[in-house]
Amino acid sequence: MEDARADIERLAGLIAESRRAVVFTGAGISTESGIPDFRSPTGIWSQTTPIYYEEFLASEEARIESWRRKFLVDRDIVEASPNRGHRAVAKLVRQGKVTSVITQNIDNLHQESGVPAERVIELHGNGSFAKCVSCETRYELAPIREAFEKDGAAPVCGACGAPVKTATISFGQAMPDREMKRARRETLACDLFLAIGSSLVVYPAAGFPVLAKDSGATLVILNREATDLDGIADFVINREIGPTLGEAANVN
Ligand code: NAD
């Protein structure tokens, strides 16, 4: 526990010294809320393989499977509420320490923990609604779910007939331009970049910690296991997120 105290104090010190910090989060910050991550031994990819965007567009079968998985995962997400790690991040934003939260998560928990929506940059979209893949008409999930449970067919757009997909970014799908540009600007402007709960293997998202480091920011990685970018970080903390960040930010 001695070592944990030293890590927390060092982290708190770096946060205190920073004039402009950015928090970058992955699925790991939400596991303490009961949402499984992707790459832990019990994570989603240990049990299923991803459906690529091309496949989703090309095959009705893939679309049905994708919606089936979505409603399965939603059970965890709908019941989840922000945990100590989310609350610590929200406090740092409130204090003006952290200007932006760049997240790979689609679970809306940063917003629910009190981070203003305009301070959250969602690189992989948001899973709480759906969109037509062609004309981008927005659809709410409840009616889609009701129809899907009744007839088992994948939803199509009422306006143009194209497939409807959750408003998340699938493997093989283009990244959202506006969010990528904002994340880049924020990363270039920060002096401290906190990468929290990400295996840092999904690009281009994992390019942001690299960019931060290259542009002179201090790079801290907080993750319970090793990540691909530990070698370039100034400080790697292999601990649980909630207790570590909670102590460092003095949040319960
Ligand atoms: P990942 O699963 O690849 O990595 C998560 C990392 O967090 C792992 O290295 C794991 O060891 C660590 N971790 C898990 N719980 C932790 C804890 N309590 N304390 C410390 N470390 C912990 O996730 P990723 O890097 O975000 O990338 C995968 C993709 O997963 C992203 O694109 C994201 O969109 C998607 N995803 C999102 C959610 C969500 O919205 N909550 C859930 C699953 C996957």
Side-chain angles (χ1 to χ4, degrees):
M1 275 298 103
E2 267 300 293
D3 291 349
R5 180 53 35 215
D7 282 351
I8 289 162
E9 277 171 14
R10 184 168 170 202
L11 176 61
L14 288 170
I15 293 171
E17 278 165 24
S18 164
R19 303 214 339 256
R20 190 180 171 117
V22 160
V23 164
F24 172 94
T25 60
I29 197 170
S30 296
T31 57
E32 290 165 47
S33 294
I35 303 175
D37 62 12
F38 271 0
R39 290 180 186 76
S40 283
T42 53
I44 294 165
W45 292 152
S46 64
Q47 287 146 39
T48 49
T49 47
I51 295 168
Y52 278 71
Y53 189 54
E54 278 299 305
E55 235 181 308
F56 182 92
L57 293 183
S59 142
E60 168 79 1
E61 211 183 322
R63 290 195 285 278
I64 291 171
E65 174 57 13
S66 161
W67 279 102
R68 191 191 66 79
R69 286 183 193 178
K70 161 72 183 160
F71 293 132
L72 211 65
V73 170
D74 260 11
R75 261 187 244 147
D76 295 325
I77 295 189
V78 167
E79 282 164 21
S81 46
N83 65 54
R84 199 175 174 195
H86 294 106
R87 289 195 293 277
V89 171
K91 180 175 177 186
L92 297 176
V93 172
R94 231 173 12 251
Q95 288 176 332
K97 272 285 165 200
V98 168
T99 55
S100 288
V101 180
I102 303 172
T103 189
Q104 300 173 88
N105 296 346
I106 54 147
D107 56 27
N108 215 42
L109 290 182
H110 286 301
Q111 292 92 323
E112 283 178 36
S113 71
V115 180
E118 66 274 13
R119 298 224 173 257
V120 183
I121 304 173
E122 291 176 318
L123 297 179
H124 296 161
N126 189 304
S128 64
F129 64 101
K131 275 195 313 199
C132 168
V133 298
S134 176
C135 70
E136 301 203 335
T137 299
R138 177 182 167 128
Y139 290 91
E140 301 312 317
L141 295 179
I144 293 182
R145 180 176 197 147
E146 207 178 301
F148 185 77
E149 280 170 359
K150 221 163 45 202
D151 60 19
V156 290
C157 179
C160 75
V164 169
K165 186 176 123 4
T166 56
T168 52
I169 306 295
S170 301
F171 283 99
Q173 188 173 358
M175 295 293 283
D177 192 46
R178 195 171 147 264
E179 281 75 7
M180 287 297 285
K181 285 191 177 128
R182 276 182 63 206
R184 194 181 150 77
R185 264 201 315 274
E186 289 295 324
T187 300
L188 288 172
C190 77
D191 60 11
L192 175 66
F193 191 98
L194 303 168
I196 300 171
S198 173
S199 55
L200 302 175
V201 296
V202 177
Y203 282 81
F208 290 110
V210 178
L211 181 66
K213 179 67 192 165
D214 284 350
S215 61
T218 301
L219 174 61
V220 175
I221 295 178
L222 169 56
N223 204 62
R224 68 156 74 109
E225 58 186 17
T227 77
D228 277 17
L229 297 181
D230 288 359
I232 64 160
D234 296 284
F235 182 27
V236 176
I237 313 169
N238 289 138
R239 299 194 181 280
E240 294 300 297
I241 296 162
T244 310
L245 206 56
E247 287 295 316
N250 210 2
V251 162
N252 285 312

